Every structure is written in structure tokens, then in C-alpha cells.
Amino acid sequence: MQTLVFSTNNKHKLEEVQALVGDKFQLMTLEEIGCFDDIPETGITFEANASQKSHYIYERFQLNCFSDDSGLEVDVLNKEPGVFSAHYSGSRDSEENLQLVLKKMEGKEERSARFRCVISLILNGQEHFFEGSVEGEITQIKGGSAGFGYDPIFKPAGYDRTFSEMSSEEKNNISHRGIAIQKMVEFLNSVTKD
Ligand code: IMP
């Protein structure tokens, strides 16, 4: 079994992704490889940030690794919050961030938005990108309390519920991150022998 570093310290995220990756690769967190740095994320695109994180790890640890970067793009807000999703209001508080989006959207009829996720995988020195997105719209008010971030105000197209009103399994099946990870898993399966 090969080792693959997932640049996260979120055990929950790791377990979820490990289940999808299967037993060809043993995923490891940053902590597990002894990386306690605050990895810079200074890019202005999801691609740039994901790539920056993967390169940071690969250059220091010479280990195969992948990193993801994701966020919400609202069309009438010129695709904001985008790469600033985690701290759009100036704070990392999800409630403040989603309230700012709702405030900026007051009176707006056009409410289309999407979540995007980009993964940068560095495997044996070669970088590969995988992307997932889910189209939807920003609701007028919050719905549900499950999930995190902007989940309570994002209603995926074709559904009458927000991400917060779905089970995590239901959300993962259609989410930007779920799709991007699935694409990476297919790639890993295609390049590794059993
Ligand atoms: P990250 O790159 O996955 O850490 O995501 C950055 C930020 O985007 C998060 O802090 C959230 O505010 C937002 N975000 C990304 N994915 C989701 C999601 O699935 N639901 C809600 N918010 C999300």
C-alpha cells in the first residue's frame, strides 16, 4: 500500500476520503507526517491555492500528496466570496460570512451560484488537477442547520432543500468536493495496478 498525504488535519474529512480511495493508498494527515506549519494560501484562484499547498508539502517531505481548495461563487457578486469564502466578512465565523452574502443579495432576483472544488495531486513529481462543481442558488433565508459554511443558504439545482437540510451522504453524492474526489479516485485507480 502506498502513502498519500492529504493536506488537512480534519480527521472527519480524511476518513470520508479514505473510504472513497479504498485500500490501495493509505492517507495521512499533515500532523501524521509532522507538518505543523501554517501553509500559505495566497493565490487568487482555487487552482493556485490547491497547487501552492501541494507543492509546499512535496518540496519539504518528498511525499505524494493532494490538496483541495473550495468555495462559493455567486454570479451577481462577481463570483465572490470565491477564494475568500472562509473569511469573507473578515472573520472565520460561518454565520457572519453567510449573513454578509444574504445582505449583499437583498432585493436581488438573480441568485445563481455554485460551489467549486479544485484538487491538486502531486504523484511521483507530476501534478494533476481535478475539479468538481455543483450549480444552485442562494436562498432568501437560512434553511437547516447541518453541515458547515454556506450550506444553510445554498440550494442545489433540482432540489427543494438546502445542503443543510440534506444528510451528509446525500450532499457528498452531488457536492463539488465529492465530485472532484471521485475524479481523483478514478485517476488513481487507472494508474495503479492491483
Ligand atoms: P475549503 O477550501 O474546503 O477549506 O473551503 C473554504 C471555505 O469555503 C469554507 O470555509 C466554507 O466557507 C466554504 N465551503 C467550501 N465547501 C463548502 C461546502 O461544502 N459547504 C459550505 N461551505 C463550503
Side-chain angles (χ1 to χ4, degrees), residues 27-55:
L27 299 190
M28 292 181 81
T29 60
L30 293 173
E31 224 170 72
E32 285 168 335
I33 61 162
C35 178
F36 300 97
D37 306 352
D38 195 6
I39 302 177
E41 271 183 66
T42 54
I44 55 164
T45 62
F46 298 124
E47 286 82 356
N49 281 336
S51 184
Q52 193 175 18
K53 288 187 270 185
S54 285
H55 278 95

Side-chain angles (χ1 to χ4, degrees), residues 62-131:
Q62 276 80 48
L63 291 170
N64 289 329
C65 60
F66 67 95
S67 315
D68 66 335
D69 195 46
S70 58
L72 177 70
E73 292 181 346
V74 181
D75 289 325
V76 291
L77 302 182
N78 294 319
K79 304 209 172 162
E80 285 183 7
V83 289
F84 308 111
S85 292
H87 45 82
Y88 191 40
S89 64
S91 114
R92 290 195 166 260
D93 186 288
S94 298
E95 183 63 26
E96 285 180 29
N97 290 329
L98 74 81
Q99 287 300 342
L100 181 58
V101 171
L102 284 182
K103 187 156 184 286
K104 290 195 178 197
M105 297 290 288
E106 259 169 27
K108 301 216 190 301
E109 294 233 324
E110 160 52 36
R111 304 185 74 85
S112 59
R114 74 201 53 76
F115 276 117
R116 280 184 61 214
C117 173
V118 176
I119 294 176
S120 152
L121 165 74
I122 302 185
L123 192 66
N124 307 324
Q126 283 235 312
E127 186 172 25
H128 307 268
F129 287 98
F130 306 93
E131 180 170 348

Side-chain angles (χ1 to χ4, degrees), residues 13 68-71 85-86 115 148-151 171 176-177:
K13 241 182 176 182
D68 66 335
D69 195 46
S70 58
S85 292
F115 276 117
F148 71 104
Y150 300 91
D151 279 349
K171 177 188 163 187
H176 49 309
R177 197 172 301 98

